Amino acid sequence: MSHADRLVVAVGGNATHPENMLGTTAEQEQVAARTAHVLRPLVTGAREIVITHGNGPVVGKIVLRQYYAREQVPPMRLDVCVAHSQGGIGHLLMQGLEDELVRAEEDRRVACLITRVAVNADDEAFAHPTKPIGPFFTAERAAELQTALGWNMVEDAGRGWRYVVPSPKPREILDLELIRLLAAQGVVVIAAGGGGIPMVARADGSYAGVPAVIDKDMTSALLANQLGYETLLILTAVPRVAIHYRTPKQRELTTVSAAELAGYLKDGHFAAGSMAPKIEASLRFLARGGRRAIIAALDDAVAAIEGDAGTHVVPD
Ligand code: ADP
Ligand code: MG
């Protein structure tokens, strides 16, 4: 059985909405059920487990619906879109996991928490939006959207124009104590979907949602640190992290120290917006007390925890 006592598992976009599918509810249900099936040994074996997930393709589609419906229905602010994605993805994943627990004759339950994450109002990301959301548009349509919806549109390497949003650093998981409480009771917790709902503190100490999308890997690392867990498992679409990725010199990493990995990051081996945030998240987790960060393919989740798959990042 698994060797993880208390862990955060971050599942990537592929585990909720692979690029090659249309995105019908039936398809999403199947994908969630398969993800839940893969995670079952971890969910039944761990003492405490918190599952986080990405929302890229899903929030892109929510935004696209708003674009088509904008004349009839007022568009939702992006933090509300993120909350919707947490609810929709969480619902399907929760059902998939509960079905697996029933089959395993376990009496554990699953909870999905709408999770808010504080970011700094003066985070430099707000001045430099970088994260693309949703589809590509023509230059003409892009100009129209900028005016009609206030979207910040950026040209993407000759492929068209995209809506780009700020991706500020997560500073504090506002619903941490609820997650801790449920997880400590043995509840399987789905939390911080899509990196969490971005919130900024007002002068009086209350919070307001802001239009941004936080990186889910960075939030997962922060969450694992704040819960004091030993293991952060990041499940994605590749079996291992590679250096010289997609070149003849490509080499997959099996076990790597934080210092060595930090060197590769500095040397530009990891793509911004995909692998680099997972590396930064892993390094951050270890620097703040984590014992091991593992990056692996979804299907290898159990083997990765047992040490037989994935890239294992260990403290120096
Ligand atoms: P997720 O939805 O799991 O966050 P991403 O697409 O954001 O997935 O990031 C994972 C992807 O990063 C991989 O599928 C791979 O295509 C890409 N990638 C970029 N650089 C590397 C690298 N050096 N080693 C492995 N994968 C890399
Ligand atoms: Mg990603």
Side-chain angles (χ1 to χ4, degrees), residues 42-54:
L42 302 185
V43 163
T44 56
R47 183 157 59 94
E48 293 186 22
I49 183 165
V50 178
I51 300 168
T52 66
H53 60 82

Side-chain angles (χ1 to χ4, degrees), residues 68-102:
Y68 284 119
R70 69 195 185 283
E71 311 285 355
Q72 277 80 38
V73 189
M76 305 180 285
R77 204 174 53 206
L78 198 54
D79 54 298
V80 182
C81 298
V82 172
H84 275 237
S85 77
Q86 288 185 347
I89 296 168
H91 154 50
L92 297 177
L93 194 53
M94 187 171 156
Q95 190 55 52
L97 289 166
E98 290 240 346
D99 290 345
E100 288 293 331
L101 288 167
V102 168

Side-chain angles (χ1 to χ4, degrees), residues 196-245:
I197 304 167
M199 308 291 295
V200 160
R202 297 194 187 94
D204 67 358
S206 64
Y207 283 90
V210 286
V213 170
I214 307 171
D215 181 77
K216 73 108 175 33
D217 297 310
M218 294 304 288
T219 300
S220 303
L222 177 63
L223 179 59
N225 281 140
Q226 293 197 326
L227 290 169
Y229 286 4
E230 304 81 15
T231 304
L232 171 64
L233 174 62
I234 299 178
L235 297 174
T236 186
V238 287
R240 286 191 175 91
V241 178
I243 52 170
H244 303 290
Y245 184 61

Side-chain angles (χ1 to χ4, degrees), residues 67 70 136-148 151 153 155 160-162:
Y67 159 71
R70 69 195 185 283
F136 291 91
F137 295 97
T138 63
E140 190 186 31
R141 198 42 53 85
E144 185 196 320
L145 289 169
Q146 188 123 25
T147 314
W151 288 4
M153 305 298 290
E155 215 270 341
W161 291 71
R162 280 183 100 181

